[in-house]
Amino acid sequence: MCSFLTPGPVFGEFFGTLVLVVFGDGNVAAASLKDSKGSGAGWVHICWGWAWAVVLGAFAANAMGSPQGDLNPAVTIAKTLAGTYSSWGEAIPVMIAQMIGGICGGVIVWLAYLNHWEGTDPASQLGVFSTAPARRNYCCNFITEIIATFFLVTMIMCVFSKGVATDAGFTPGLGTFMVGGVIYGCGAALGGPTGYSMNPARDLGPRIAHFILPIPGKGGSDWGYSWVGTLGPVVGAVIAFFFCRAFGIM
């Protein structure tokens, strides 16, 4: 426990993912919960909110000792295959920390909006914490998550490739802002069918928080769908690794 709370890659990924979920799920809560001043803000608000959530989460992770700022087990898996992490023994604690950060971030959003859960319909309550499809078709939804995560990981690798960043790299922080643009683009272009999980820690972690929290009037946590937003991103990230490796950008 003491080592977990010490600044470094594991704590950095925990705290960065917590920040990601607080700002990401928080912006969904603002748009969705009853009597929130942001109620009805809409899809553009949510896409921008998630883009900034990733930027702020990555900066928080970097500041707390994680040079990667992955915030996403699917991205960490792709980077482990690429050799960025020295071994699975190094990567697995990072991914566990990301998941715990997602759970804790969900709890914080619940507390921040404690006075607004009652009277909000159960589907909107769950939508604050995790994704759900616009039209439920597990095969189609799974394909969407694979595609969205493939382009997420591929475009991140393109942003940081030598063809874009050059050998000198970016001014510190610039690449992170560019990744925020990738997140916005993915949400705006590919988020419509499923709400764009692209991240097991962002989807499964807060879903667990929804399951355990005493939210008035809540329904089920939709565990039957949860695998789509968890496994789809992993498959998409692995495909992205092989694609990027084939073209020399990862």
Side-chain angles (χ1 to χ4, degrees):
M1 177 63 72
C2 291
S3 61
F4 176 79
L5 295 176
T6 302
V10 174
F11 181 75
E13 291 293 330
F14 160 76
F15 185 69
T17 308
L18 181 152
V19 169
L20 165 76
V21 170
V22 167
F23 283 92
D25 283 359
N27 103 89
V28 179
S32 303
L33 297 184
K34 184 175 175 60
D35 297 330
S36 161
K37 289 183 179 291
S39 181
W43 186 247
V44 174
H45 164 88
I46 289 171
C47 288
W48 273 117
W50 273 107
W52 281 105
V54 169
V55 171
L56 296 172
F59 282 148
N62 295 157
M64 291 294 179
S66 171
Q68 298 301 323
D70 294 343
L71 317 178
N72 184 340
V75 173
T76 301
I77 287 170
K79 286 185 175 181
T80 304
L81 292 172
T84 303
Y85 291 89
S86 62
S87 68
W88 289 103
E90 181 185 8
I92 287 172
V94 164
M95 291 187 281
I96 292 172
Q98 291 162 349
M99 195 65 66
I100 296 171
I103 296 170
C104 293
V107 172
I108 292 171
V109 172
W110 168 70
L111 285 170
Y113 283 87
L114 195 59
N115 195 35
H116 291 270
W117 300 102
E118 190 169 3
T120 300
D121 67 276
S124 295
Q125 290 179 350
L126 178 59
V128 171
F129 294 91
S130 56
T131 60
R135 293 182 175 179
R136 189 172 296 252
N137 179 309
Y138 290 120
C139 180
C140 292
N141 304 149
F142 189 62
I143 290 170
T144 296
E145 286 294 340
I146 291 172
I147 291 171
T149 312
F150 169 83
F151 280 103
L152 168 70
V153 175
T154 298
M155 296 316 300
I156 289 173
M157 294 304 109
C158 287
V159 164
F160 288 101
S161 70
K162 290 184 178 180
V164 175
T166 74
D167 291 335
F170 289 120
T171 299
L174 178 59
T176 301
F177 282 109
M178 295 177 72
V179 171
V182 173
I183 298 297
Y184 180 84
C186 286
L190 299 170
T194 62
Y196 68 118
S197 164
M198 304 191 299
N199 182 345
R202 166 265 179 278
D203 196 73
L204 181 59
R207 194 184 298 269
I208 293 170
H210 175 272
F211 176 73
I212 64 177
L213 288 170
I215 301 170
K218 76 174 180 180
S221 300
D222 199 6
W223 293 111
Y225 181 79
S226 63
W227 66 274
V228 175
T230 302
L231 296 182
V234 172
V235 174
V238 170
I239 295 172
F241 159 74
F242 285 109
F243 176 84
C244 293
R245 174 58 59 89
F247 287 93
I249 60 173
M250 190 174 196

